[in-house]
Amino acid sequence: ISSTASSSSTDLNVANALFRKGSYEEAYLSYERILLNDPTNYVAHTNAALCLTHGKMSAENYDAALSHFRAAANASPNRAAVWSNLGTHLLNGGVGLHVAEDAFRRAIKIEPNSSKHVVSLGAVLEALERHDVAARVYREGLERWPTSADLWTNLGTALHALGEHDDAVVAFRN
């Protein structure tokens, strides 16, 4: 290992430790320093974005966090987690929901064995008021993960929004 690689790894470990202890501002500055040397480091981009969404930094930094989530997806487009993080940030912000839908679909394509991405896709479809499509997504997910409480609960919510109250009760009870 070269001293540069070792230093970069050490810097990332320090930044991660700062993040874990809740020192988000200090961790963010550490991630930014890492990105100066390696602007394609998707981990540093993702974690910098997460710093911006925590604590007192969150309210005013939505766009900066979004920029980091997008950079992480561009730097490592074959990782489902970067697309899921991008989609979640957009969904939580209530903007760019069609982009969030695309992000979750990419995550599913990359990592088809994760019910988490299916739940998230359904949630963004519900936010788009496409409850019929969300219900279909949840039902397809339940074919693969029949014991997923999240899929059953979200299916119940979608069915309720569609006025299918009897079926919603059945879903909620499952």
Side-chain angles (χ1 to χ4, degrees):
I1 293 181
S2 72
S3 62
T4 304
S6 178
S7 174
S8 177
S9 177
T10 298
D11 292 344
L12 190 59
N13 288 335
V14 168
N16 289 342
L18 289 166
F19 179 86
R20 281 189 214 100
K21 79 174 208 168
S23 298
Y24 302 119
E25 291 179 40
E26 192 176 356
Y28 176 76
L29 294 173
S30 295
Y31 292 125
E32 284 293 311
R33 282 191 297 275
I34 292 165
L35 290 167
L36 286 174
N37 294 322
D38 183 5
T40 63
N41 186 320
Y42 79 94
V43 173
H45 274 296
T46 298
N47 292 352
L50 292 172
C51 285
L52 292 168
T53 64
H54 283 75
K56 66 182 180 180
M57 296 182 72
S58 64
E60 66 273 5
N61 290 306
Y62 178 87
D63 290 338
L66 179 58
S67 177
H68 279 293
F69 282 126
R70 283 188 168 143
N74 288 334
S76 192
N78 295 321
R79 291 188 183 275
V82 299
W83 294 107
S84 182
N85 288 335
L86 174 60
T88 298
H89 187 68
L90 290 164
L91 177 60
N92 290 342
V95 296
L97 295 177
H98 292 292
V99 177
E101 177 185 356
D102 291 342
F104 290 127
R105 289 188 186 282
R106 285 185 81 159
I108 290 168
K109 191 173 188 175
I110 295 165
E111 193 176 81
N113 293 321
S114 173
S115 65
K116 177 182 96 165
H117 305 314
V118 174
V119 169
S120 296
L121 173 60
V124 79
L125 291 166
E126 288 188 74
L128 288 165
E129 298 187 10
R130 293 168 53 199
H131 303 289
D132 56 332
V133 180
R136 187 172 55 247
V137 165
Y138 295 137
R139 284 186 172 116
E140 289 169 2
L142 285 164
E143 289 175 13
R144 296 192 66 193
W145 302 284
T147 60
S148 171
D150 290 336
L151 286 169
W152 280 111
T153 299
N154 289 12
L155 174 59
T157 302
L159 293 171
H160 177 70
L162 291 168
E164 299 176 26
H165 304 296
D166 291 338
D167 289 338
V169 168
V170 171
F172 287 132
R173 287 185 173 156
N174 277 311

